[in-house]
Amino acid sequence: MATMSKFEYLITISPLGLMYGSAGAFLSPENLVGRSGSKFPPDAATVAGLFFNANRENQFIDHEQLQQNLVITGPFWANRDTPKQFYVPIPWYKILGDDDSDEWTLLEKKHNGQPIESGKSESSSDTQWCLGRHEWHRNNKDLQPEYSWQLIDNWEFSANQLHKNKGTTQAIAKAPWEFVSFLHPKIRADERHVVEQDGLFLENAVQLDRQYCLVYLSNYEIPDGWYRFGGEGHLVELETQLLPEKHKINLLLEQKIQHACALITPGVWGSNKLSYRYPKHASFPRKGMKLLTDKAIPYRYRLGHNKKDREQGEEKYKTGRLSRGRYAMPPGSVYVFKHPLNMNWWDFPDEWFPKEGFPLKHLGCSLCLPVKIQGVPQ
Amino acid sequence: MTEYTAITFAPVQGFIEKSRKLRDLYGASIVLSYLSSKLVESALSQGLEVISPGLPNLQKGMPNRILIKGKFERNDVEKVLLDEWKKVLVICREWIEENLGFPKDNYSWSQTEEQKGKQKGEWERWESYTWEIFWGHGNSVDRAMEDLETRKLKRGWTGINWMGESSSLTGTDAIAWHQLGRTLEKGEDPGRSLTPEEKDALELFYRRLSWLLDNPDYRVGKPHLSLQQLRDYEESKPEEIGKYIAPNERLSIPELVKRLVTYDAIADEIDMVKLKPTKNDPEFKDINRNAGYWTAWFMGDGDKVGDKLQILATRNPDNLEEGDRNLKTFTDLMRNWGKEFEKQSDSFTAGEMRVIYAGGDDFLGVLYSKESKNQENALKIKPSDAFEWLRKLPIYWEQLQKDIDDRLKLQFTFSVGFVWAGHQVPQRDILQHCREAEKRAKSLGRDRVTIRVVFNSGQYVQWTCPWDYLDILTKYRDRNQKTGAEANWNHIYSDWAQLKARHAIRLQTTENNPIVKDIALSLFDLYFDNAADRFRKQRKWVYLTGKIDDETIVKWLDDLIEIGWQLCRSSSI
């Protein structure tokens, strides 16, 4: 881990038909179209699971080595023709509506009801910047975010710039997938015959527009091919390609985070018992921190199969085991630190992340990039 | 210096939405009102003045946005809320432990005497981490409310992790049963699946609970049945079980609590509003959701209530007393309205209606068919009945609007999401549909209703319309000049579909073919007595659809026809 500081491969996943869109134990014959359990796109953990399985069946990397060193992150998505220009979640300080945009900025706290613009008051200058005196401010509080993805290439664009480039370069986008219900026969394992009990069920499937693919980043290569991915036996075509060292994401990840960063994958922190909004480790500078975030999102995946499981028979081998259920900070969440962090995500110590055999950092959790927010010194 | 405190807590929508039965909705709403009312009570006992909500002594339907004159310390707020919630949890847990017939030492789900102050059990974790508390303070109402909003941006949740299978209702959080949280033996894997014996014990837990609650007045204290007896009982009387908890449900701790507080003996012990205020009230029946029975759900909310409060608070900067008085008048009017609206159970004559909560400016209710022993004779509500009722819904707030305008010079409107759902659509999904529909009504301009028809497949169609133009659907005139219930909606529906199929009406722009509204409008004029032409002349399109471009208009018409066909066509066709 210490030597790793780049993502070297870009994995694209293109569905062959539909994909699976539910999470958890939702679907039953009585409740057919569990919509509230919708979960898409699959987390990087799912790709990691696929990776381990593939490697177990057809060992292309020493398994121990893979388990120790694999770092994989996502989900992102892109146009199939230009996978390197992928979309990542928009940091929440940028609000992109259909017709307008707005930004959260940090202003000095109100005096007589009027916010003081940063830098304009006597006491405030960059050297004296003190987070405690500042608060979040927005001009157009009515504007609702309609877009949640932006091109990685335009990471530094302001909300206004992104909005301007909405039409020309598709700088921002809405998710290109749709949930569709799909009547699904459950086929017996040994015959082309529908199973007798509950043989049909209506699946909450996901249709990803043919033009697009899902994107994950990793430091190892997976052999190209067709794989089962994301549940219910749906097939996808997986391709790995080299991610240039100078790719935007690597450049961004190289930069040290100073005062502010935003998550682009679910932020998982906490102990075995509890999930938190930030690491509770002593070295994490939580004092005086400001956040822009929302409700927790559930975070859970099926673990790869350990040796014992495999020996216990076919059935268990197939389904894997559910990990600990956790809650995560939603992607897009913004952290602002009182003192410069002077670290990038690669530098984050493993102790900040929950450990599930290995630190969840290896599953690309809490991947964050530096952001520039008005009112925060650079 | 005058000080104000604003308080709220979360989750509210999420707490209510995690529901499978109507009982969950009531339970959740009762718990929320209870906690709010305890906060208000505590503020009053400190000699503070409660500006909002109005009617602070009425627990039922108490909203959870609280505004207080004076400083209600954040720590005190937190303490009151957590203590009261703890009381609810303890009473529920102890009721189970005392009545389910498992030996006390079989329970490992809460902390032991020795663990107190050191280590939490599962129940204690829920005591601490169910709620996020938001608090704001300032020297004006306005500032206190803004302070709260600012602090809310960082949220305040702590999530409770879980292992193994999760609740069958939400798919998250651990299943509550007596062995939850058991200390692991050495070398035991916390993530392993349950052994067959453990599975039986878990099933027994839920079957006993389910059996007891189906008739607690007679069964509590009686000898306990074995797993086999309970299974046999289900087999012999499948219709009579599962009033509170179906034997196959697996609930998390807070979900269990929501069910339990609807049992009057427990509500009494907590001093909570009861689902059935008196013993002789009609039995609480779940709604009929058998095959073919559709239900209508409405979720509504006053438009820009926060802004209204701010306007009232800041209107007279030199006279704070006046501002406080106006705020009080406003919230009193709102809560009185909620109280009256909650009683409107007989306003739907074609079937049953229940208001699940009416907290002042927000409400949730359902129109449904009564459950009947004899399925064949059971009355089915028709979509047109539901639509007729919806059209008249604004009558209920006309007087309120007038009062608010007369006394406070404020325009007050409601946005509503109305969902007509097939019987297989899970209830928790219906609530999400309601919320999304309501949100859409708001985002398209407020003072509107979004009607969403959700099919069993999970697919839906929707249409948003300002209240005062909702009756456009009743203006439909078919080729035989028939209107109203007589009209054959097939005529426009098939014409429209044909034209769409031939790309004469298109809903999607392709490279060379932009969306053009002319043909769509002509067809609409034909069937709706030149309504499109009138809208154009009166410059109503922007008001109706939000925008004036061709695409928006054609899509609005498409939605209108779809919804009209679903809700207004007579079922005989």
Side-chain angles (χ1 to χ4, degrees):
Chain A
M1 192 73 201
T3 52
M4 256 304 291
S5 63
K6 295 224 160 30
F7 286 109
E8 292 165 50
Y9 298 96
L10 180 139
I11 300 163
T12 63
I13 289 186
S14 311
L16 301 165
L18 297 171
M19 292 185 76
Y20 189 57
S22 288
F26 275 105
L27 300 180
S28 69
E30 301 88 55
N31 274 350
L32 289 176
V33 277
R35 171 192 152 81
S36 29
S38 296
K39 169 124 181 105
F40 196 84
D43 286 319
T46 316
V47 188
L50 182 158
F51 210 143
F52 289 135
N53 269 340
N55 193 48
R56 201 172 279 119
E57 271 165 31
N58 187 1
Q59 197 159 50
F60 41 89
I61 305 165
D62 173 66
H63 209 71
E64 287 289 301
Q65 191 201 338
L66 186 69
Q67 268 178 335
Q68 276 181 19
N69 298 337
L70 177 72
V71 183
I72 205 158
T73 198
F76 314 117
W77 60 270
N79 216 307
R80 276 180 89 162
D81 303 331
T82 51
K84 282 172 190 152
Q85 292 169 303
F86 52 85
Y87 285 87
V88 296
I90 301 177
W92 284 3
Y93 73 95
K94 304 182 212 176
I95 322 289
L96 276 310
D98 269 324
D99 303 314
D100 205 358
S101 69
D102 193 19
E103 255 179 54
W104 284 104
T105 58
L106 277 169
L107 287 192
E108 206 158 328
K109 269 184 192 161
K110 282 183 185 180
H111 186 67
N112 294 330
Q114 286 307 312
I116 308 161
E117 275 188 46
S118 180
K120 288 195 182 161
S121 82
E122 297 157 45
S123 61
S124 157
S125 73
D126 280 0
T127 48
Q128 286 175 305
W129 191 75
C130 171
L131 197 51
R133 284 205 305 269
H134 292 71
E135 66 185 356
W136 292 111
H137 177 80
R138 245 184 92 175
N139 290 321
N140 180 3
K141 286 204 176 169
D142 275 345
L143 185 69
Q144 295 290 325
E146 304 280 347
Y147 292 83
S148 47
W149 298 89
Q150 74 160 83
L151 279 179
I152 184 69
D153 311 47
N154 305 146
W155 179 255
E156 289 97 348
F157 276 28
S158 68
N160 188 22
Q161 282 171 305
L162 286 175
H163 194 259
K164 269 194 202 145
N165 287 291
K166 166 172 98 139
T168 48
T169 61
Q170 268 79 48
I172 51 175
K174 295 175 184 176
W177 52 81
E178 243 177 71
F179 290 92
V180 292
S181 41
F182 170 62
L183 194 62
H184 207 38
K186 254 194 193 150
I187 305 289
R188 282 194 216 166
D190 48 352
E191 270 180 275
R192 288 183 61 82
H193 219 277
V194 174
V195 294
E196 259 158 48
Q197 227 193 337
D198 306 329
L200 284 176
F201 73 97
L202 207 56
E203 180 193 317
N204 184 26
V206 177
Q207 191 169 27
L208 180 66
D209 197 314
R210 197 185 285 268
Q211 216 186 317
Y212 302 97
C213 59
L214 301 178
V215 170
Y216 299 83
L217 310 176
S218 90
N219 56 352
Y220 282 91
E221 193 175 3
I222 313 182
D224 291 357
W226 289 8
Y227 293 90
R228 290 184 191 282
F229 182 73
E232 291 305 326
H234 289 292
L235 281 181
V236 296
E237 185 175 13
L238 183 150
E239 282 176 337
T240 310
Q241 44 181 293
L242 270 172
L243 189 71
E245 208 176 311
K246 295 285 169 211
H247 185 276
K248 182 79 179 182
I249 189 94
N250 279 331
L251 294 179
L252 286 168
L253 276 166
E254 224 168 66
Q255 286 177 30
K256 306 275 180 196
I257 293 159
Q258 298 304 323
H259 281 286
C261 66
L263 297 176
I264 55 172
T265 62
V268 188
W269 313 109
S271 62
N272 277 349
K273 296 275 186 211
L274 299 170
S275 298
Y276 299 123
R277 288 169 299 147
Y278 46 83
K280 286 281 162 90
H281 193 262
S283 65
F284 183 81
R286 68 194 202 215
K287 214 171 165 217
M289 182 177 59
K290 286 198 190 300
L291 293 172
L292 274 183
T293 185
D294 205 347
K295 287 179 290 202
I297 53 168
Y299 180 86
R300 201 174 200 192
Y301 54 91
R302 275 191 193 279
L303 279 174
H305 328 282
N306 60 38
K307 238 187 212 161
K308 212 168 87 203
D309 281 346
R310 263 183 302 153
E311 283 156 9
Q312 276 171 355
E314 188 68 9
E315 201 43 47
K316 212 169 176 189
Y317 178 45
K318 248 194 238 162
T319 49
R321 261 191 18 220
L322 269 177
S323 74
R324 188 183 305 275
R326 296 179 183 273
Y327 286 93
M329 290 284 270
S333 298
V334 173
Y335 294 79
V336 181
F337 304 104
K338 192 171 169 187
H339 300 292
L341 192 63
N342 203 27
M343 263 188 214
N344 62 37
W345 181 82
W346 289 109
D347 304 331
F348 288 5
D350 281 354
E351 297 77 57
W352 286 10
F353 295 85
K355 221 172 166 148
E356 201 78 76
F358 51 91
L360 290 190
K361 184 175 181 181
H362 290 228
L363 298 180
C365 286
S366 319
L367 189 73
C368 53
L369 302 176
V371 291
K372 290 177 187 145
I373 296 172
Q374 257 188 66
V376 180
Q378 303 307 324
Chain B
M1 190 181 83
T2 334
E3 292 177 290
Y4 294 87
T5 310
I7 306 164
T8 190
F9 52 94
V12 171
Q13 287 298 345
F15 194 67
I16 289 174
E17 255 172 30
K18 290 175 181 170
S19 308
R20 182 177 279 130
K21 297 169 170 237
L22 201 47
R23 188 176 290 279
D24 290 328
L25 294 180
Y26 278 98
S29 138
I30 290 171
V31 168
L32 291 167
S33 297
Y34 172 82
L35 294 173
S36 300
S37 77
K38 290 294 166 182
L39 287 172
V40 166
E41 230 172 65
S42 166
L44 290 173
S45 76
Q46 291 184 25
L48 300 170
E49 190 185 340
V50 176
I51 299 173
S52 174
L55 319 188
N57 297 317
L58 177 72
Q59 189 189 112
K60 200 169 182 193
M62 177 81 79
N64 77 327
R65 277 188 298 238
I66 300 165
L67 189 59
I68 286 163
K69 190 170 184 177
K71 189 165 188 185
F72 191 171
E73 295 288 348
R74 197 193 181 283
N75 285 345
D76 294 345
V77 171
E78 188 173 303
K79 186 166 176 357
V80 171
L81 189 95
L82 295 186
D83 283 353
E84 290 297 336
W85 173 237
K86 178 178 174 179
K87 178 174 138 192
V88 174
L89 293 184
V90 168
I91 289 171
C92 289
R93 175 173 59 81
E94 286 180 348
W95 186 88
I96 296 176
E97 288 174 0
E98 268 153 39
N99 291 297
L100 229 54
F102 292 104
K104 286 259 151 89
D105 60 4
N106 263 351
Y107 285 92
S108 51
W109 62 1
S110 71
Q111 63 187 180
T112 57
E113 277 304 316
E114 303 85 71
Q115 286 171 334
K116 280 193 178 147
K118 292 179 210 149
Q119 195 193 337
K120 287 175 176 171
E122 298 290 332
W123 282 83
E124 290 75 28
R125 270 194 275 282
W126 282 105
E127 276 173 17
S128 309
Y129 307 123
T130 306
W131 307 105
E132 293 175 69
I133 298 161
F134 303 114
W135 180 91
H137 175 254
N139 55 13
S140 70
V141 168
D142 202 26
R143 297 249 185 99
M145 283 169 31
E146 256 200 63
D147 187 37
L148 182 147
E149 289 306 321
T150 309
R151 290 164 187 259
K152 201 175 171 181
L153 294 171
K154 66 175 183 203
R155 307 296 302 198
W157 53 262
T158 298
I160 302 173
N161 299 343
W162 73 99
M163 288 299 296
E165 293 292 316
S166 41
S167 145
S168 63
L169 202 158
T170 51
T172 56
D173 300 327
I175 298 167
W177 65 305
H178 49 296
Q179 309 240 323
L180 176 66
R182 189 174 61 81
T183 321
L184 297 178
E185 309 282 335
K186 231 183 170 173
E188 198 179 347
D189 174 5
R192 68 176 171 82
S193 343
L194 299 183
T195 63
E197 295 76 40
E198 286 169 326
K199 277 188 185 146
D200 281 352
L202 189 138
E203 185 180 343
L204 183 62
F205 178 91
Y206 274 93
R207 284 200 183 267
R208 280 202 178 156
L209 198 56
S210 163
W211 184 78
L212 265 186
L213 286 169
D214 275 343
N215 200 345
D217 296 348
Y218 294 94
R219 291 178 182 169
V220 168
K222 294 276 155 53
H224 293 281
L225 304 183
S226 69
L227 184 55
Q228 197 49 51
Q229 285 170 318
L230 288 162
R231 283 179 184 159
D232 293 345
Y233 178 75
E234 180 185 8
E235 201 126 302
S236 66
K237 299 208 164 109
E239 296 301 320
E240 284 173 35
I241 59 164
K243 219 166 71 188
Y244 277 78
I245 296 174
N248 64 349
E249 280 187 293
R250 302 288 179 261
L251 303 174
S252 70
I253 286 173
E255 288 158 7
L256 199 56
V257 168
K258 281 193 256 173
R259 294 278 168 89
L260 287 171
V261 298
T262 61
Y263 167 37
D264 49 12
I266 290 179
D268 266 342
E269 211 183 323
I270 303 171
D271 195 19
M272 205 177 243
V273 170
K274 277 183 285 197
L275 195 56
K276 281 168 38 177
T278 66
K279 262 231 143 31
N280 295 330
D281 281 337
E283 188 43 65
F284 184 87
K285 281 258 181 195
D286 269 334
I287 51 183
N288 187 346
R289 298 198 67 199
N290 289 312
Y293 285 81
W294 287 58
T295 46
W297 300 75
F298 49 95
M299 185 183 274
D301 185 350
D303 291 321
K304 294 198 163 185
V305 176
D307 288 6
K308 302 257 173 345
L309 294 174
Q310 291 208 354
I311 292 170
L312 292 174
T314 51
R315 198 186 260 166
N316 301 302
D318 306 326
N319 188 347
L320 287 175
E321 298 288 310
E322 174 74 11
D324 292 355
R325 241 191 330 272
N326 283 342
L327 282 172
K328 260 187 113 64
T329 308
F330 181 74
T331 63
D332 278 351
L333 285 171
M334 291 305 315
R335 280 216 76 201
N336 257 318
W337 179 83
K339 193 172 121 194
E340 293 307 312
F341 185 65
E342 204 157 288
K343 294 184 196 150
Q344 297 304 325
S345 55
D346 52 359
S347 72
F348 182 55
T349 46
E352 302 289 310
M353 167 191 173
R354 268 179 193 260
V355 175
I356 292 151
Y357 63 78
D361 72 293
D362 60 346
F363 54 87
L364 167 69
V366 54
L367 310 175
Y368 60 101
S369 314
K370 203 173 186 163
E371 199 142 29
S372 126
K373 285 235 151 68
N374 182 349
Q375 277 311 326
E376 274 143 49
N377 294 337
L379 176 88
K380 246 185 221 183
I381 57 167
K382 293 202 288 277
S384 52
D385 300 332
F387 177 69
E388 266 313 297
W389 180 89
L390 176 68
R391 252 181 22 133
K392 299 203 184 99
L393 182 58
I395 292 173
Y396 292 108
W397 55 72
E398 267 171 17
Q399 189 58 44
L400 176 72
Q401 281 175 324
K402 198 171 165 309
D403 290 346
I404 291 178
D405 194 19
D406 285 351
R407 295 175 64 177
L408 301 164
K409 302 279 167 278
L410 274 182
Q411 307 292 312
F412 192 78
T413 56
F414 282 95
S415 298
V416 169
F418 185 81
V419 171
W420 176 246
H423 75 281
Q424 276 182 328
V425 183
Q427 194 167 286
R428 54 170 190 265
D429 290 8
I430 291 179
L431 295 178
Q432 279 197 357
H433 282 292
C434 283
R435 198 141 71 99
E436 283 169 24
E438 191 196 313
K439 226 171 138 186
R440 186 172 200 254
K442 284 202 189 289
S443 72
L444 290 179
R446 299 186 172 83
D447 196 12
R448 279 164 168 68
V449 58
T450 293
I451 304 174
R452 200 179 259 208
V453 176
V454 185
F455 305 100
N456 285 327
S457 67
Q459 264 142 6
Y460 64 83
V461 289
Q462 63 179 353
W463 175 60
T464 305
C465 185
W467 287 107
D468 51 352
Y469 277 81
L470 194 51
D471 66 349
I472 182 78
L473 286 180
T474 65
K475 302 282 161 61
Y476 172 69
R477 183 186 296 267
D478 72 11
R479 272 181 233 142
N480 306 323
Q481 304 303 308
K482 296 240 164 65
T483 57
E486 307 268 279
N488 184 345
W489 272 79
N490 258 337
H491 293 172
I492 191 166
Y493 191 75
S494 61
D495 283 359
W496 187 265
Q498 291 255 359
L499 289 168
K500 273 205 292 191
R502 293 176 187 173
H503 301 292
I505 294 174
R506 60 177 81 239
L507 297 174
Q508 249 165 355
T509 314
T510 51
E511 249 169 62
N512 304 318
N513 298 298
I515 296 174
V516 181
K517 65 175 187 296
D518 299 353
I519 295 176
L521 288 183
S522 312
L523 189 76
F524 191 66
D525 273 335
L526 274 178
Y527 282 109
F528 283 85
D529 191 21
N530 290 317
D533 197 40
R534 267 202 316 281
F535 293 159
R536 183 181 57 81
K537 283 184 184 141
Q538 297 164 356
R539 298 171 180 275
K540 280 289 174 197
W541 277 117
V542 176
Y543 174 64
L544 288 166
T545 65
K547 280 186 203 164
I548 199 148
D549 61 73
D550 285 17
E551 180 177 339
T552 310
I553 291 173
V554 175
K555 282 184 173 160
W556 189 78
L557 290 175
D558 187 57
D559 294 339
L560 179 154
I561 289 164
E562 198 73 59
I563 290 293
W565 156 261
Q566 294 297 337
L567 288 189
C568 302
R569 87 189 129 124
S570 46
S571 48
S572 57
I573 298 164

